[in-house]
Amino acid sequence: MSPLSSLRRLLTRLTPGGDLTERSVKSGIWATITNILDRGLQLLMVAILARMLTPADFGLLGIALLTLSAFKRFSNIGFDQALIQKGSGNVDSYLNTYWSIEILRGLLLAGLLLLVAPLVAGFFDEPRATPILRVIALTPLLLGLRNPGIVYFRKDLEFDKQFVYTMSGSVTNFVVALAVALATQSVWALVLGYVSSDAARLLASYAIHDYRPRPGFDLEVAKDLFGFGKWITGSESVYFLINQGDDAVIGWVLSATSLGLYQVAYQFAKAPATEISQIISSVAFPAYSQLQDDIPALRTAFFRTLQVTMVISFPASVGIAVVAPTFVEAVLGPGWGPVVPVMQIVAVYGLLIALGSAYSPVWKALGRPDYMAKLGVFRLVLTALIIIPVTREFGIVGTAAAVLGVYIFPVMPIDVYLVIRSVETSLGRLLREISYPAVASLLMGGVVYWLQSTLTLPWALLELAVLVAVGAAVYGAAVAALELGLNWDLRETLRNFAGAI
């Protein structure tokens, strides 16, 4: 059999279909592939451009994207998630209203960004940000014009189509950014790459899905969607302030250079957690929504998801925290040394976020997205009280520590309490699933830390490769020992996933 025939056969087997378990597993595979390739291209692009551009260039784009994200989050009406949550499979009657509202939203956001660009640049004391903001203003309109039919990719667990849609923009961003960087070696490489990615996804949305929207508005439809979407709007707004408020504080209190350092550290250190949380949210939410009336089945699905999440997240986060000094030297190069302690703190935070990402799909599926909004407000208030003085005193390391500390206590215990009550389980069962990968990962981290302190190789990149290889081997051996010796049941979960394929 030729390689091309083998590839076609594999793609056919991975096409989502069958019962809910089979569709969920296959969609999870596609979501994993999508996120790995998407994030991999993004991080590769950053690693290459980090040697061609300056931290200040990344900080300038950071200011523009921070502003854009604020506008998008505070105006996110959550209609797409409301459509996914609906038990009915066909939501065509909602799509024209949804599309029309999204276009109006895109026009409004684009106009506002054009108007406030000089004010935002003045706030951050960075006049160079004004033209960047005005070009970035194109993206809300591009997103608003997308084919609303793509909501079915997530609703119906057709993540093979979501892969094509997402990667069309990712590849375009990578190619355009590198081409412009080679020609100009300026921040415009980052800007034009970002805008072109949204343009590519706009075209792909109509090429992949055959729904063709028309302008229209139904007040009853809008009211129906807003009943669920209002909590998404609230939680999106709050979590924007939580997740990117630290960026705003750094850009305002410190400088664009500090912001660039901080954001690059976040992109690399939080990457595993970010990708895992996106996969969980995108696949678990529609799958859980179909189990919302069967709590025992929902509980079983939740623990299977949690088990796989922790098996991947724990070693990734511990590994990043340990090898951060070698990684920065090998990948980012001179001038990026200050990101090392930030990466180590963010790696721990990323692990906790990956754990928390297993909770929110449960709450949304059960019709309680208000949990996310209310917890977010509480967390935001606590963070706001300490982040500015800590940043002024300790710089970007203090900022990262403040964000981590508030989540560890008191927010994380409340998260745990609510999810235990939601799926009707016990704290002991939850801790059991977490303890196994924790032990294996800490053992791996200790071995890698010792090896890093004793190993002396001529090239930092070679040293990094050795550390990663040894860490993977030690973790794999520890997982096998725990599975065989303590009846972890990981093999059973993996067999269920494999059987669904």
Side-chain angles (χ1 to χ4, degrees):
M1 184 180 293
S2 69
L4 185 58
S5 299
S6 299
L7 178 61
R8 287 199 187 108
R9 184 177 179 183
L10 177 62
L11 292 176
T12 300
R13 290 193 65 182
L14 289 178
T15 299
D19 61 15
L20 178 60
T21 299
E22 182 177 343
R23 285 185 287 120
S24 297
V25 171
K26 290 181 177 180
S27 291
I29 292 172
W30 278 108
T32 301
I33 294 170
T34 302
N35 281 271
I36 289 174
L37 291 179
D38 180 34
R39 178 63 67 168
L41 277 176
Q42 184 181 7
L43 295 181
L44 178 60
M45 182 185 75
V46 171
I48 295 171
L49 296 186
R51 295 180 177 270
M52 302 171 68
L53 307 178
T54 67
D57 290 326
F58 285 90
L60 287 170
L61 179 70
I63 290 171
L65 295 186
L66 179 65
T67 308
L68 173 64
S69 182
F71 278 61
K72 288 165 63 176
R73 293 290 187 91
F74 282 101
S75 64
N76 182 7
I77 48 182
F79 284 7
D80 56 339
Q81 297 194 52
L83 291 172
I84 293 171
Q85 197 269 345
K86 284 191 170 297
S88 172
N90 190 304
V91 292
D92 283 3
S93 59
Y94 292 83
L95 295 185
N96 287 337
T97 298
Y98 168 48
W99 186 63
S100 300
I101 292 174
E102 284 293 316
I103 291 175
L104 291 173
R105 174 178 173 240
L107 286 168
L108 178 62
L109 294 184
L112 286 174
L113 280 169
L114 288 171
L115 289 173
V116 304
L119 300 177
V120 173
F123 176 80
F124 288 103
D125 195 24
E126 279 292 349
R128 293 175 296 172
T130 299
I132 295 172
L133 277 160
R134 286 176 170 162
V135 173
I136 289 290
L138 288 170
T139 60
L141 182 56
L142 295 173
L143 293 174
L145 289 167
R146 289 177 304 176
N147 185 351
I150 62 174
V151 74
Y152 281 115
F153 297 163
R154 289 176 292 157
K155 181 175 178 62
D156 295 340
L157 294 169
E158 296 178 327
F159 279 72
D160 52 330
K161 297 177 182 177
Q162 184 71 26
F163 167 83
V164 177
Y165 168 75
T166 300
M167 292 309 299
S168 65
S170 304
V171 172
T172 301
N173 184 15
F174 184 84
V175 172
V176 171
L178 289 188
V180 177
L182 290 171
T184 67
Q185 293 193 2
S186 74
V187 67
W188 289 104
L190 299 169
V191 175
L192 296 178
Y194 185 85
V195 174
S196 65
S197 68
D198 282 340
R201 286 180 181 137
L202 168 62
L203 297 175
S205 70
Y206 288 92
I208 303 169
H209 201 282
D210 59 6
Y211 184 82
R212 292 297 176 260
R214 297 188 304 273
F217 182 80
D218 186 319
L219 182 59
E220 293 305 314
V221 166
K223 285 181 178 179
D224 183 18
L225 294 176
F226 186 71
F228 182 92
K230 64 185 178 184
W231 291 111
I232 301 300
T233 304
S235 62
E236 286 279 335
S237 301
V238 170
Y239 279 91
F240 162 75
L241 294 173
I242 291 171
N243 295 329
Q244 294 184 276
D246 49 351
D247 291 351
V249 168
I250 290 171
W252 175 51
V253 173
L254 301 177
S255 65
T257 297
S258 297
L259 178 60
L261 291 167
Y262 188 77
Q263 289 189 327
V264 169
Y266 247 82
Q267 286 188 66
F268 282 101
K270 201 181 171 188
T274 300
E275 301 321 305
I276 291 167
S277 65
Q278 287 180 353
I279 294 167
I280 291 171
S281 296
S282 59
V283 177
F285 173 37
Y288 291 171
S289 293
Q290 298 182 43
L291 299 173
Q292 58 187 281
D293 297 322
D294 187 351
I295 295 300
L298 176 59
R299 180 171 57 247
T300 299
F302 166 73
F303 276 114
R304 285 179 177 172
T305 302
L306 180 67
Q307 188 178 57
V308 174
T309 300
M310 289 294 96
V311 164
I312 300 171
S313 299
F314 239 115
S317 296
V318 171
I320 288 170
V322 173
V323 304
T326 303
F327 174 86
V328 172
E329 181 184 356
V331 177
L332 299 181
W336 293 91
V339 307
V340 172
V342 179
M343 286 185 66
Q344 292 170 328
I345 294 172
V346 171
V348 177
Y349 178 61
L351 171 62
L352 300 181
I353 292 301
L355 175 60
S357 69
Y359 306 156
S360 57
V362 172
W363 298 332
K364 289 191 290 184
L366 293 175
R368 295 306 307 264
D370 57 307
Y371 284 168
M372 298 157 57
K374 292 170 182 176
L375 270 173
V377 169
F378 178 57
R379 181 176 167 192
L380 175 62
V381 170
L382 295 179
T383 305
L385 292 173
I386 66 172
I387 193 167
I388 292 177
V390 169
T391 298
R392 283 178 173 155
E393 182 69 23
F394 301 103
I396 58 177
V397 175
T399 309
V403 172
L404 172 62
V406 169
Y407 185 72
I408 289 177
F409 186 83
V411 176
M412 188 169 65
I414 300 174
D415 271 353
V416 171
Y417 167 76
L418 288 175
V419 79
I420 285 173
R421 191 175 71 172
S422 297
V423 300
E424 299 177 9
T425 188
S426 66
L427 177 61
R429 175 75 191 280
L430 187 68
L431 292 177
R432 178 179 181 271
E433 293 299 342
I434 297 172
S435 62
Y436 291 115
V439 170
S441 299
L442 291 174
L443 175 62
M444 174 206 73
V447 172
V448 172
Y449 179 79
W450 169 80
L451 183 62
Q452 184 175 229
S453 63
T454 58
L455 192 63
T456 303
L457 295 175
W459 301 292
L461 192 59
L462 177 60
E463 183 175 330
L464 178 64
V466 170
L467 294 175
V468 171
V470 170
V474 172
Y475 181 71
V479 166
L482 289 170
E483 172 66 18
L484 293 173
L486 298 178
N487 192 27
W488 185 357
D489 293 333
L490 178 62
R491 282 182 297 178
E492 181 64 26
T493 296
L494 296 179
R495 267 198 297 265
N496 287 332
F497 282 11
I501 300 175

